[in-house]
Amino acid sequence: MKHFLLIAISWVFTVLCATSTWAVSALPREKVLLDSDMVEAFDDGIAMLLLANAPNVELMGVTTLSGNSWVEMGTANAIRQLEQAGIRSVPVAAGLEYPLRPNRHELFALERKLTGRGHDLWTGSFGLKKPTNWQTAYKETYGTTPSMHPLAKHAVDFIIDTVRANPGQITIAAIGPCGNLALAVRKAPDIVPLIKRIIYMGGAFFQQGNTTPAAEFNWYFDPEAARIVVRSPFKEQIVLGLDVCEKVIFRREHYDRLIKTLANHPMRDMLRTSFAGQSFEKNPNFTFFVWDVLVSAVIIDPTLITESVECFIDVNDQMGLSYGQSLAYPQEAPLGVQKARIVTAVDSVRFWDLLNNLQYWQIKQ
Ligand code: BDR
Ligand code: CA
C-alpha cells in the first residue's frame, strides 16, 4: 500500500511539473518592435539583445534611424550585434536619415549657441561624419563583410505592415528619436488604434535635460516628430525619461559584474571597446546611465516599476530656448494632448540582477 502511494504521488508530481513547464512555454510572448538610434552595447545594443533573448518576448524587428549615430552606422551596429549573438531571425529595417525639420543638421551649431548645452556633451549624429552607406560603415568599423542584411523595405513601411498584420498585439519600444514612428502614424493613421502600447525612452519631465538645459536627447533630436507621436491617441503610453533613467547610475562595480557574466560571450569584447567600456577601463570612478536598457527591462518584467505618475504629455516644437522640451500636465492640458504613465522610479537592484541573468545572453547558433 505504502509503495502504491509513493508511486501515485510521484506520478502526480511528474504530471504537475510537465503541465507547469508546458504552461510557461505556452504563455503568449509579448510582440515587440524596437525603434532605435542604434549604438554598440550601451545602451541601444544591450536593449536590443535583452529583448531578442527574453523568453517572454518575441522581437518582431528592429527599425533604425539617425540620432545617436547616423542611420547607416546604426544599421551596421544592429546587424553586427545580432550576428555576434547568433540571432538571425530578427529583421532589421533602416529608416530616417534626418529629423523632420528641414536642414536641422546644418543649423545645429547655431542652435547650440542659442539654447546652450545640457549636462551631457553628446550630440550624436549632429556631430558625426555621415557614412556613405551601411555596408561601408560596417566594413570600416568591423574590418569584415556582414553575413546578414537589412530588409529592402523602409522602416516606416515595416512598422506599418507589422502593426497591421498583428492588430492589438504590438508593443513599440521607442528608444531613439521619433521620426520613423511619426511618419508611420502620418502615412497610416489606421495603425494607431492597432498598437497595443508604446514605451519610450525620451524626455525629462521633472528635471533638466541632458542635451540642452531644457531637453533630453531623443526628443530634442526631432521635436516635431516626438510631438506628432506623443499626441497620437494610442491605447497606452509609458515614458521612461531622464526622471527615472538618471536614478539608475551605472558604476564600475556594475560594469565588472557584467564583464564577468559575459565571459566567453562575443558581446564582452564589444562592451569593452564601446564608449562605456573604454571609459570604465580608463577611469574606475566613471559613471554612466543605461537609459534604453531600462525600457527593455520593464517590458520583460513590468514589476521593476516602483513609482509612476499619470499626466497629459507634450513636446515643445517651437524653435527657441525650450525647443524639444517635454511637458507634463497633471490636470488641465492643451487641446490635442494624450495621457501617459511617466515612470519615476524602478527597483535598481532587481534591474542589475536581470541584466546579469544568463538567460538573456545565450548565443544562438
Ligand atoms: C537617449 O539618447 C541616446 O543617447 C540614448 O541612446 C538614449 O536613448 C538618452 O537621452
Ligand atoms: Ca537610443
Side-chain angles (χ1 to χ4, degrees), residues 232-248:
S232 301
F234 296 110
K235 286 197 190 82
E236 188 184 0
Q237 304 197 91
I238 301 175
V239 197
L240 283 85
L242 298 185
D243 313 280
V244 60
C245 294
E246 293 197 352
K247 283 184 185 157
V248 180

Side-chain angles (χ1 to χ4, degrees), residues 40-42 46 49 81 84-85 255-278 281 361 363:
E40 279 180 17
F42 284 91
I46 303 288
L49 295 180
Q81 291 175 100
Q84 293 286 89
Y255 171 73
D256 288 344
R257 182 178 171 194
L258 190 56
I259 287 291
K260 255 196 196 158
T261 302
L262 294 181
N264 306 322
H265 194 291
M267 275 307 291
R268 180 174 185 256
D269 287 343
M270 229 180 199
L271 173 55
R272 289 187 107 146
T273 54
S274 69
F275 169 74
Q278 285 190 24
E281 304 267 346
W361 298 106
I363 303 175

Side-chain angles (χ1 to χ4, degrees), residues 99-104 107 111 222 224 317-319 323:
L100 299 193
R101 183 181 282 264
N103 306 324
R104 183 88 198 281
L107 294 175
E111 212 185 278
D222 196 345
E224 285 77 3
D317 67 350
Q318 304 298 303
M319 178 71 88
Y323 190 41

Side-chain angles (χ1 to χ4, degrees), residues 11-307:
W11 184 80
V12 169
F13 183 72
T14 313
V15 170
L16 277 179
C17 287
T19 30
S20 65
T21 314
W22 176 83
V24 169
S25 58
L27 276 179
R29 293 188 296 158
E30 184 78 22
K31 293 186 178 179
V32 179
L33 245 184
L34 183 71
D35 188 52
S36 156
D37 53 344
M38 186 60 66
V39 284
E40 279 180 17
F42 284 91
D43 53 347
D44 298 71
I46 303 288
M48 172 178 73
L49 295 180
L50 281 188
L51 292 175
N53 277 320
N56 60 343
V57 169
E58 182 179 359
L59 185 56
M60 307 292 288
V62 178
T63 48
T64 57
L65 80 170
S66 296
N68 261 330
S69 49
W70 283 101
V71 64
E72 297 83 356
M73 190 69 242
T75 304
N77 290 153
I79 296 278
R80 178 67 176 183
Q81 291 175 100
L82 290 171
E83 286 172 344
Q84 293 286 89
I87 298 161
R88 309 195 71 83
S89 56
V90 175
V92 176
L96 259 66
E97 290 174 57
Y98 295 100
L100 299 193
R101 183 181 282 264
N103 306 324
R104 183 88 198 281
H105 268 79
E106 283 79 18
L107 294 175
F108 178 68
L110 278 176
E111 212 185 278
R112 197 97 175 119
K113 291 188 181 149
L114 168 75
T115 58
R117 289 207 296 233
H119 58 266
D120 195 337
L121 298 185
W122 182 239
T123 58
S125 66
F126 282 134
L128 300 169
K129 192 172 163 281
K130 193 172 187 306
T132 324
N133 54 48
W134 78 272
Q135 291 96 330
T136 328
Y138 188 105
K139 184 94 212 256
E140 282 172 3
T141 314
Y142 303 115
T144 174
T145 42
S147 63
M148 285 168 63
H149 288 84
L151 300 175
K153 201 182 262 190
H154 192 278
V156 170
D157 294 315
F158 180 73
I159 293 169
I160 295 170
D161 294 349
T162 309
V163 171
R164 283 183 179 155
N166 299 272
Q169 296 175 57
I170 300 288
T171 289
I172 295 194
I175 60 170
C178 294
N180 285 339
L181 296 166
L183 291 199
V185 301
R186 275 282 162 93
K187 187 171 179 186
D190 62 287
I191 66 169
V192 173
L194 302 181
I195 291 170
K196 180 177 170 191
R197 59 182 178 155
I198 178 160
I199 308 190
Y200 308 89
M201 190 284 123
F205 293 91
F206 311 116
Q207 68 162 65
Q208 287 212 326
N210 52 5
T211 307
T212 76
E216 177 278 332
F217 181 79
N218 284 342
W219 289 4
Y220 170 72
F221 190 89
D222 196 345
E224 285 77 3
R227 187 166 188 268
I228 290 171
V229 180
V230 304
R231 281 178 164 241
S232 301
F234 296 110
K235 286 197 190 82
E236 188 184 0
Q237 304 197 91
I238 301 175
V239 197
L240 283 85
L242 298 185
D243 313 280
V244 60
C245 294
E246 293 197 352
K247 283 184 185 157
V248 180
I249 303 187
F250 188 8
R251 298 184 192 282
R252 174 69 184 254
E253 69 204 69
H254 304 120
Y255 171 73
D256 288 344
R257 182 178 171 194
L258 190 56
I259 287 291
K260 255 196 196 158
T261 302
L262 294 181
N264 306 322
H265 194 291
M267 275 307 291
R268 180 174 185 256
D269 287 343
M270 229 180 199
L271 173 55
R272 289 187 107 146
T273 54
S274 69
F275 169 74
Q278 285 190 24
S279 310
F280 281 120
E281 304 267 346
K282 274 192 228 134
N283 172 11
N285 296 320
F286 174 74
T287 58
F288 204 46
F289 299 114
V290 297
W291 304 289
D292 305 342
V293 186
L294 288 181
V295 168
S296 299
V298 304
I299 290 174
I300 294 168
D301 182 358
T303 70
L304 288 176
I305 299 176
T306 53
E307 269 173 32

